[in-house]
């Protein structure tokens, strides 16, 4: 199962809103096949693992390990549980059940009805952690919300209210890695106007997240970087619904944290990294609509600037990262 998790993690950033899944096939204590879900809309882990086996006559006497319950419904691909039954595996070992109502327990029932031995809950905690975005989204009916900001040692987000680099270059690379792990990244209008960020993945290999900008009155001019073709951009506003190339304008009756997350959930966005300014970040903290936060604190100090958000949740961990300190928070009450 540990190998399943290792394989599954290779799909990070490429399979959402599907979960990351790995599968390993064992015959007489030897691995004879393995696979993982590589790309959204393409073959699932079980299919890739079965297709990797050279001597298919061994499958009927083999065990297939899967980090997540095999799917039992038709989506982009046929149900994997049907293929497992057809292949006549003697045993299936599952890491965690699938929280998707279309699957939850149904895959196990089909396997047991086919007289296939099923073992559940192997490394369950680790398997759920792997797909925490997927699990939270199905549980809460909203995206997994990850907050991030950088601050000076005296808790300011900029120098005299002007754009300024706070974190060290190495920490900036880590931020790009965080971006690659989420389907979307969100900021407010003021962040675009003050920093003109690209909101893309450049320092690491990975897929650019969908860019989401909160611009109620459509004040932004189209010469900012978020209007380029590097990634799709969604502009949340109060005025219009329209698609212009890679830019999608989405009108809401009111713009608040609940309405925004409800919209993203309807758009099938399973996780969002919020990198916005203090106002945007604080609104999600105050409404208790966040799941994790990571704060990068630099040894630098500024005389004046925007105060950083206030978070009262007890920190989970804190570690020195080159010149900076990264503090991790988990909202257990979200």
């Amino acid at each position: 199962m540990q190998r399943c998790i290792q394989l599954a993690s290779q799909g990070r950033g490429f399979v959402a809103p599907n979960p990351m899944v790995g599968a390993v096939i064992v015959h007489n204590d030897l691995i004879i096949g393995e696979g993982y879900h590589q790309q959204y809309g393409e073959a699932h882990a079980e299919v890739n693992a079965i297709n990797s086996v050279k001597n298919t006559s061994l499958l009927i006497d083999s065990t297939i390990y899967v980090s997540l319950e095999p799917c039992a419904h038709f989506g982009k691909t046929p149900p994997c549980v049907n293929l497992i039954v057809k292949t006549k595996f003697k045993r299936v070992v599952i890491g965690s059940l699938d929280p998707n109502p279309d699957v939850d327990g149904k895959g196990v029932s089909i396997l047991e009805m086919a007289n296939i031995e099923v073992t559940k809950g192997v490394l369950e905690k680790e398997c759920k952690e792997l797909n925490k975005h997927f699990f939270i989204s199905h549980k809460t009916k909203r995206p997994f919300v990850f907050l991030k900001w950088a601050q000076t040692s005296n808790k300011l987000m900029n120098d005299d209210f002007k754009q300024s680099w706070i974190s060290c270059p190495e920490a900036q690379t880590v931020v790009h890695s965080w971006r690659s792990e989420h389907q979307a990244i969100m900021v407010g209008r003021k962040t675009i106007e003050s920093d003109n960020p690209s909101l893309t993945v450049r320092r690491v290999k990975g897929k650019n997240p969908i860019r989401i900008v909160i611009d109620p009155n459509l004040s932004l001019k189209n010469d900012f970087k978020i209007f380029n073709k590097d990634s799709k951009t969604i502009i949340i506003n109060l005025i219009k619904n329209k698609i212009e190339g890679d830019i999608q304008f989405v009108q809401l009756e009111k713009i608040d944290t609940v309405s925004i997350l409800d919209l993203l959930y309807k758009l099938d966005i399973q996780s969002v990294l919020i990198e916005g300014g203090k106002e945007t970040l604080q609104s999600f903290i105050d409404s208790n609509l966040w799941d994790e936060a990571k704060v990068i604190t630099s040894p630098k100090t500024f005389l004046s600037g925007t105060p950083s958000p206030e978070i009262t949740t007890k920190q989970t961990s804190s570690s020195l990262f080159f010149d900076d300190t990264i503090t991790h928070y988990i909202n257990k009450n979200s």
Side-chain angles (χ1 to χ4, degrees):
M1 190 59 68
Q2 184 61 55
R3 178 58 179 160
C4 287
I5 294 172
Q6 290 174 347
L7 289 165
S9 64
Q10 296 182 53
R12 191 183 306 278
F14 298 99
V15 301
N18 282 354
M20 293 175 281
V21 183
V24 172
I25 299 172
V26 176
H27 181 267
N28 289 342
D29 295 329
L30 291 177
I31 293 177
I32 62 171
E34 57 183 33
Y36 67 97
H37 187 25
Q38 300 179 17
Q39 188 74 43
Y40 176 69
E42 296 183 1
H44 288 187
E46 299 92 326
V47 176
N48 288 330
I50 291 170
N51 288 341
S52 75
V53 177
K54 294 181 179 179
N55 185 357
T56 56
S57 67
L58 300 177
L59 292 174
I60 195 170
D61 292 315
S62 298
T63 296
I64 183 168
Y65 292 77
V66 190
S67 56
L68 189 70
E69 179 182 10
C71 63
H73 66 295
F74 283 88
K76 296 286 185 181
T77 61
C80 291
V81 71
N82 291 358
L83 177 62
I84 292 174
V85 170
K86 181 180 178 181
T87 306
K88 298 183 179 180
F89 283 98
K90 69 175 183 179
R91 182 171 177 239
V92 178
V93 180
I94 297 169
S96 63
L97 296 181
D98 190 327
N100 185 342
D102 291 331
V103 182
D104 194 6
K106 295 182 179 67
V108 171
S109 295
I110 293 171
L111 294 172
E112 291 177 337
M113 288 175 62
N115 295 316
I116 296 174
E117 181 185 349
V118 179
T119 301
K120 300 172 289 186
V122 177
L123 294 185
E124 183 176 22
K125 180 179 179 181
E126 292 84 350
C127 289
K128 286 184 175 180
E129 175 65 21
L130 173 73
N131 281 307
K132 58 188 176 184
H133 298 173
F134 181 74
F135 276 83
I136 287 290
S137 181
H138 278 284
K139 175 185 175 182
T140 63
K141 306 302 179 187
R142 63 162 174 79
F144 182 97
V145 177
F146 183 98
L147 310 179
K148 168 267 164 183
W149 70 87
Q151 63 184 20
T152 61
S153 59
N154 58 335
K155 296 186 177 181
L156 296 178
M157 299 180 73
N158 48 46
D159 186 7
D160 195 26
F161 305 96
K162 299 181 181 67
Q163 180 186 11
S164 50
W165 286 112
I166 294 178
S167 56
C168 64
E170 294 83 3
Q172 293 164 25
T173 300
V174 169
V175 170
H176 281 230
S177 177
W178 296 342
R179 289 179 179 179
S180 72
E181 295 172 1
H182 292 81
Q183 264 187 283
I185 181 170
M186 182 163 63
V187 299
R189 172 187 58 81
K190 293 179 182 178
T191 296
I192 299 299
E193 290 178 335
S194 62
D195 299 349
N196 192 20
S198 297
L199 302 181
T200 55
V201 173
R202 302 182 301 281
R203 293 174 176 262
V204 299
K205 181 181 288 187
K207 184 178 179 180
N208 288 332
I210 298 169
R211 300 176 292 198
I212 300 168
V213 180
I214 304 168
D215 183 16
N217 299 310
L218 296 180
S219 305
L220 293 172
K221 297 179 180 178
N222 60 10
D223 56 354
F224 286 105
K225 293 177 182 177
I226 52 105
F227 290 103
N228 63 29
K229 296 182 180 296
D230 289 344
S231 184
K232 178 180 178 178
T233 298
I234 296 173
I235 308 294
I236 297 176
N237 68 93
L238 296 168
I239 298 173
K240 70 176 182 180
N241 284 306
K242 191 175 183 181
I243 296 177
E244 299 177 0
D246 292 322
I247 312 299
Q248 181 178 359
F249 295 90
V250 180
Q251 181 183 13
L252 293 179
E253 291 184 5
K254 62 176 181 178
I255 296 179
D256 56 22
T257 55
V258 173
S259 300
I260 290 170
L261 294 184
D262 183 56
L263 167 67
L264 299 190
Y265 182 76
K266 290 176 180 176
L267 292 174
D268 216 10
I269 292 175
Q270 197 178 91
S271 64
V272 58
L273 167 61
I274 300 179
E275 272 196 42
K278 195 247 177 103
E279 184 178 334
T280 301
L281 289 160
Q282 194 68 57
S283 67
F284 283 89
I285 294 172
D286 291 344
S287 59
N288 199 37
L289 289 172
W290 64 281
D291 299 289
E292 285 192 49
K294 287 191 177 180
V295 182
I296 302 171
T297 303
S298 165
K300 297 176 183 177
T301 59
F302 295 150
L303 293 177
S304 64
T306 303
S308 60
E310 296 181 9
I311 189 167
T312 57
T313 301
K314 185 178 179 181
Q315 69 184 47
T316 304
S317 64
S318 186
S319 59
L320 189 64
F321 188 80
F322 291 88
D323 296 334
D324 300 333
T325 299
I326 298 179
T327 305
H328 185 201
Y329 300 87
I330 295 178
N331 184 6
K332 296 180 180 179
N333 299 312
S334 61

